[in-house]
Amino acid sequence: MGRKFDITAAFQAAVGEGVSKSDTREQIQYIGLDRLDQDPGNFYSLDGLEELAANIQLCGLQQPLRVRPGENGRYTIVSGHRRRAALALLSEEEQKWTAVPCIVETDDASPELRELRLIMANSATRVLSAAEIARQAEEVEKLLYQLKEQGYAFPGRMRDQVAAACKVSAPKLARLKVIREHLISQWQGPFQRSALPEQTAYALARMPEVLQERLFRICGDKPLSGGAAERLLEAGNSGAAWAPAFSCPDGSPCRRGDAFLRHDAEHPFELCLGEKCCLECSQAKASCYACDRMCSKARALRKEGREDAARAEEERRAEQQRKYRADIQRSAARLLRAAEAAGLDDGVEIQPRSYYAAVSVAELRAYAAGEFGDKYFYNNDLAPEQLSHPEQIARTLRCSADYVLGLTEELHPGGGAPVWHFGAPEAEGYYWCLTGPMSDGGRLLYWKDGRWCYAVADLPISVHVVCWFAGPPIPEGLTWERQDLEEEPDEDEE
């Protein structure tokens, strides 16, 4: 197998052949900044000058400039354009920077070799943008072909030699060539300024020019991401044209093609391709995160729909409050009857539910009279099935727990502690169950088909019931629907 061609070594050998035989030693001279001219072939940006100047001022100039003699005592910079610009900033404040050390080249290399040397020096010392690499590759390819005509031999594919000279991979070089040759001029500006990512530029360059122009017109101020450009490219290759073929309700043709294209550029994971009218699109009707590119007709329709929905919700809440208040009024009147029979002061309180606010006898009196003020209710917390400690409420109101739970209309003055039972209930229904120490209170459960269930749904519960007493009657209208769930065994059955 033949040895791989090393363009760097070949280039250095070629330069060596052009060095003057009289004196091959490189010499350093101090030359005034005002006698140093930029190489016309230098196309690299001169950025970060203030940072570089601060570094030179602190650490000194670590590397001299390389120059070649010009005319009338002037010199052309071969390598060190950024250093020269940074030194010019320092020379405005300190005299010592007005003259700088330079290596003066004495070879008689051809202009092509000198320019190639400039490019290779920059590729080795600079961090280049994709645009600079593309420009560099173009120049290197041109120079190598010119040198080839002058008799220099470059075996293998020219693309590989260009990639080696620019120190990039051949596939990357191929992508940059596509960008250089097919990206329209409008997008070239942002790409040269590094405002357009390489992935985006490569995807755009593979699109038809008409589509590139449309995208620049609608997205030029905010270049799209690489992923979005790739999806638009894929959609375009599949036939998408973002040219709606439908009409508005008034019969006029839809002309919002660019709006659809902008939507797909901004939301590449929700491509609509301009194939569905906004009035029929679910994204335009969504209550949340609706499409922000919908047409004015869809926007007005959505606004009207939201207003209708708001009115309907307001009516629903008002009706719900009326129902809650009617239920609370009945429950409060029942409990108030026990409080009045016991002669309790208005300040006495009961605790309907754990961790909820207590309710005083005065509030029970107001509720029973239908006086609720501006209070908003989420439930009837005074309903028998909602009570957390009915036995404690019975003691406070000096009535029986059966009355509190709605099992009887007799108050049983003097208090009536519930009678606890053990074993399994005989009848289906609500039961107040003790599942731990008395101090922990109880919980309302439902007995059905020989097992305990949650009181609010027909879901079996794995719990050990110590004892129980009869709970409130089944609320009117409550229906139990068997849910197809895998049952958990009771602890006493394991």
Side-chain angles (χ1 to χ4, degrees):
M1 180 180 296
R3 184 172 63 88
K4 183 177 180 180
F5 181 75
D6 186 347
I7 189 172
T8 303
F11 167 71
Q12 292 173 344
V15 172
E17 293 174 0
V19 174
S20 171
K21 298 298 187 296
S22 60
D23 188 357
T24 60
R25 294 175 299 176
E26 292 183 329
Q27 299 179 355
I28 295 180
Q29 300 180 22
Y30 274 80
I31 302 175
L33 291 178
D34 57 350
R35 297 168 58 195
L36 301 179
D37 299 323
Q38 290 196 34
D39 189 323
N42 180 62
F43 52 84
Y44 297 99
S45 63
L46 301 179
D47 54 359
L49 296 181
E50 292 184 357
E51 181 180 356
L52 178 58
N55 182 272
I56 294 174
Q57 189 174 39
L58 178 64
C59 304
L61 185 64
Q62 300 298 306
Q63 184 179 3
L65 282 66
R66 295 188 69 90
V67 299
R68 63 174 181 271
E71 297 179 354
N72 301 322
R74 303 191 65 81
Y75 295 85
T76 301
I77 300 173
V78 174
S79 175
H81 292 80
R82 284 183 69 242
R83 277 168 283 163
R84 191 265 180 214
L87 289 166
L89 294 178
L90 295 177
S91 67
E92 295 176 359
E93 299 180 0
E94 296 185 61
Q95 185 69 20
K96 70 175 183 177
W97 300 111
T98 57
V100 295
C102 300
I103 296 177
V104 181
E105 296 183 344
T106 58
D107 63 72
D108 53 356
S110 66
E112 291 80 12
L113 279 176
R114 285 199 300 266
E115 190 170 350
L116 185 59
R117 179 161 49 198
L118 168 68
I119 291 173
M120 295 185 70
N122 279 279
S123 66
T125 58
R126 284 178 177 242
V127 177
L128 304 177
S129 66
E132 287 177 326
I133 295 174
R135 175 69 185 280
Q136 178 178 268
E138 181 181 15
E139 293 296 322
V140 167
E141 184 176 4
K142 179 181 69 175
L143 292 171
L144 290 181
Y145 274 116
Q146 291 175 347
L147 291 172
K148 192 172 184 179
E149 292 178 356
Q150 296 175 16
Y152 290 91
F154 301 103
R157 296 185 305 176
M158 184 60 72
R159 188 181 72 177
D160 294 334
Q161 305 307 324
V162 175
C166 297
K167 292 180 173 56
V168 296
S169 65
K172 181 180 180 69
L173 202 63
R175 291 195 300 271
L176 294 176
K177 186 173 184 179
V178 171
I179 295 173
R180 186 175 70 242
E181 294 180 351
H182 299 289
L183 189 66
I184 62 174
S185 58
Q186 293 95 317
W187 282 118
Q188 285 288 355
F191 179 66
Q192 297 296 330
R193 298 192 303 272
S194 298
L196 186 69
E198 180 183 339
Q199 182 187 6
T200 304
Y202 182 55
L204 288 169
R206 288 177 286 158
M207 295 179 186
E209 289 188 5
V210 174
L211 182 55
Q212 289 191 55
E213 291 171 353
R214 288 180 67 186
L215 283 170
F216 183 81
R217 185 169 64 250
I218 63 179
C219 303
D221 56 336
K222 183 182 178 182
L224 60 167
S225 67
E230 291 288 351
R231 286 179 175 82
L232 293 179
L233 172 63
E234 182 179 354
N237 291 338
S238 299
W242 294 274
F246 43 81
S247 300
C248 289
D250 59 6
S252 60
C254 177
R255 295 187 176 86
R256 302 187 72 249
D258 283 354
F260 290 119
L261 182 57
R262 180 188 286 271
H263 168 274
D264 288 358
E266 295 174 348
H267 307 284
F269 296 100
E270 301 175 1
L271 300 182
C272 70
L273 308 176
E275 297 176 353
K276 180 182 289 187
C277 176
C278 294
L279 296 172
E280 300 174 358
C281 181
S282 60
Q283 286 298 113
K285 303 173 185 177
S287 58
C288 299
Y289 305 107
C291 174
D292 57 357
R293 293 294 173 191
M294 70 180 80
C295 69
S296 58
K297 299 181 181 66
R299 200 178 300 278
L301 187 63
R302 180 171 182 268
K303 181 175 182 296
E304 181 180 342
R306 294 181 69 179
E307 292 174 349
D308 291 343
R311 283 192 295 269
E313 176 63 15
E314 185 177 354
E315 293 174 1
R316 185 194 69 80
R317 288 175 179 269
E319 177 60 28
Q320 188 181 63
Q321 287 300 296
R322 284 192 290 270
K323 180 180 182 304
Y324 286 160
R325 292 185 176 193
D327 292 343
I328 292 172
Q329 185 174 9
R330 286 191 295 269
S331 298
R334 182 181 179 81
L335 297 176
L336 180 64
R337 178 187 169 210
E340 290 180 337
L344 300 179
D345 294 335
D346 283 353
V348 176
E349 296 180 335
I350 61 173
Q351 187 82 33
R353 302 187 66 181
S354 300
Y355 310 111
Y356 278 57
V359 179
S360 67
V361 172
E363 287 177 301
L364 289 176
R365 196 181 311 282
Y367 292 166
E371 299 171 359
F372 301 97
D374 57 355
K375 289 186 177 180
Y376 188 88
F377 299 96
Y378 296 92
N379 210 334
N380 176 13
D381 294 336
L382 300 178
E385 65 272 12
Q386 297 291 337
L387 302 179
S388 297
H389 295 279
E391 72 283 3
Q392 294 180 8
I393 296 175
R395 292 190 183 96
T396 302
L397 298 180
R398 301 175 188 173
C399 66
S400 71
D402 287 349
Y403 180 80
V404 172
L405 293 172
L407 300 177
T408 179
E409 293 302 314
E410 297 295 329
L411 291 174
H412 301 301
V419 178
W420 293 96
H421 299 272
F422 299 87
E426 295 181 356
E428 175 182 328
Y430 282 116
Y431 293 88
W432 195 259
C433 302
L434 187 66
T435 59
M438 260 305 210
S439 60
D440 293 342
R443 61 190 306 183
L444 191 65
L445 300 177
Y446 192 80
W447 179 261
K448 183 179 177 68
D449 297 337
R451 62 184 177 181
W452 293 107
C453 303
Y454 287 103
V456 295
D458 189 14
L459 297 175
I461 179 175
S462 177
V463 65
H464 180 66
V465 175
V466 179
C467 52
W468 52 267
F469 63 83
I474 301 175
E476 183 179 355
L478 178 65
T479 60
W480 294 87
E481 296 182 359
R482 173 71 60 199
Q483 300 195 21
D484 188 15
L485 297 174
E486 183 179 350
E487 300 181 10
E488 299 181 10
D490 290 343
E491 293 179 358
D492 56 355
E493 294 179 355
E494 294 180 348

